[in-house]
Amino acid sequence: MSRLSVFGLEGIPEITVGADLAGIIADAAAAGDDTALADGDVVVVTQKIVSKAEDRLVPVDPDDPLSHKPLVERESVRILRRRGDLIISETAHGFVCANAGIDLSNVEKGYAALLPVDADRSARRIRDGLRHRAGVKVAVVVSDTFGRTWRRGVTDVAIGCAGVAGVVDLRGTPDALGREMQVTEVAVVDEIAAAAELVMGKSTGIPVAVVRGVDPTWLRDGSVHDEIVRSPRDDLFR
Amino acid sequence: MSRLSVFGLEGIPEITVGADLAGIIADAAAAGDDTALADGDVVVVTQKIVSKAEDRLVPVDPDDPLSHKPLVERESVRILRRRGDLIISETAHGFVCANAGIDLSNVEKGYAALLPVDADRSARRIRDGLRHRAGVKVAVVVSDTFGRTWRRGVTDVAIGCAGVAGVVDLRGTPDALGREMQVTEVAVVDEIAAAAELVMGKSTGIPVAVVRGVDPTWLRDGSVHDEIVRSPRDDLFR
């Protein structure tokens, strides 16, 4: 029977520019109680610590809560909606989200964190590092917190991945009654990011979680950019 | 340390009209290997079996793959987009999804399954039944598979819940650096539905999964209708 285990890694220190995330994650996993990484694990890393390690912090006026708004315009290739201070825009990566993914929470006062330049690449780098540091073949997902249309509340989604599929294509797989299925492309990488968020919380200082037990057929080369980002041409809401 | 376990329940038979879902779920959980339900579990039930038990099947022409399209129009209160055969519309419940949530997969040929009339109520009924049948105080989520704007692939989300929060409000909770957080309302009920989908697949005949270990403070009265459905007035994309 398929059984997943999802747990956070404790003891990750405050991340600074140039930090060796793979080493830090490997150490935290090894130090924890029954959290040592194993082949097939999916390691979910929040965007914020990736952005910090990759020096994506930009100084802003610490006394002006809207001082990052010019950055939002700069990081956007298309503005979809504005309401009050909220901007919904498309980033250079093709993500559509609030404020171009820039935010101030869990960042030192006076700085704003931009999204990683290429979070698939960030995920690959952490994955390679974990193979070298911990001798394990894991997948890595970089997650961020996005709002959705039509539904209240935010959820975590993937902005980058390595070693795990973005989308699993069940087109043509017979359904449980043996009939031909209609198109069903499941965004498993986003569901993995959502599952990880359940053990992270937003203010508990758990920026890395492990999802253990996913279907091994999903553990292939994957990319959020190539598989998840929908092109404006195929999009009905842009 | 927070640790979740997510597992599917095997042995759920084909569901027919009037089926006692709580009894069937309790029996399947008790029969499984280490799957007996416990207080605090969140039981995630896919919409399809709820619709079947609640007699939400409608006969359609078995030889016409588009025969359910008039139903889509009937079940919609607002059409947002059309492209080819695809209709994105708002249902009477306030959900915005493809084809008013009606589909033909995993339904006997010649029938289409409509959404439950009130999936929060469906969840409450299953929850009450599980308390009587298995003597456990669990939460219940009714899940369905929706597409998203801007991102490819579908994910499971909640269309009803009972005994668990839809949204957990972290407004004002200090972030990890001790600063006042900005608004963060996390749609934990949708993240729970997504996590459950990871062990269900789409064609493996696992229509019920259990998410064990969620934050006990989330286990309160909850409602997808009241907490998750965004009113058109507050929506930037309708």
Side-chain angles (χ1 to χ4, degrees), chain B residues 48-71:
Chain B
K48 196 62 57 64
I49 67 169
V50 175
S51 291
K52 286 177 177 173
E54 295 182 356
D55 199 10
R56 295 287 286 163
L57 299 189
V58 176
V60 292
D61 180 350
D63 299 319
D64 175 4
L66 298 179
S67 59
H68 60 301
K69 290 294 166 176
L71 292 175

Side-chain angles (χ1 to χ4, degrees), chain A residues 7-13 15 19-38 43 126 129-136 208 210, chain B residues 1:
Chain A
F7 51 91
L9 296 185
E10 302 198 327
I12 305 267
I15 300 298
D20 167 25
L21 285 183
I24 289 166
I25 292 167
D27 289 347
D33 179 21
D34 197 21
T35 62
L37 296 175
V43 178
I126 297 169
L130 286 170
R131 193 180 302 199
H132 291 124
R133 292 289 302 254
V136 288
V208 180
V210 177
Chain B
M1 190 194 60

Side-chain angles (χ1 to χ4, degrees), chain A residues 1 37 49 61 69 77-78 87 89 91 95 116 130 133-134 137 145 155 174 191 197 204 216-217 222 232 235:
Chain A
M1 191 194 62
L37 296 175
I49 68 168
D61 180 348
K69 290 293 167 178
V77 298
R78 184 195 310 248
I87 296 174
S89 69
T91 70
F95 300 127
L130 286 170
R133 292 289 302 254
K137 194 173 171 184
T145 305
T155 61
E191 295 187 324
E197 207 280 324
T204 52
T217 67
D235 198 296

Side-chain angles (χ1 to χ4, degrees), chain A residues 95-176:
Chain A
F95 300 127
V96 177
C97 55
N99 297 326
I102 299 170
D103 76 288
L104 307 175
S105 64
N106 285 310
V107 176
E108 201 185 331
K109 194 169 163 70
Y111 288 89
L114 310 185
L115 293 181
V117 173
D118 177 348
D120 282 330
R121 190 178 62 195
S122 308
R124 283 196 299 274
R125 199 181 291 138
I126 297 169
R127 181 175 190 241
D128 291 344
L130 286 170
R131 193 180 302 199
H132 291 124
R133 292 289 302 254
V136 288
K137 194 173 171 184
V138 299
V140 172
V141 172
V142 178
S143 69
D144 199 4
T145 305
F146 283 6
R148 305 86 56 82
T149 47
W150 313 316
R151 298 177 74 84
R152 292 180 57 206
V154 295
T155 61
D156 272 19
V157 296
I159 62 169
C161 68
V164 63
V167 166
V168 173
D169 190 342
L170 298 176
R171 269 183 292 199
T173 309
D175 67 23

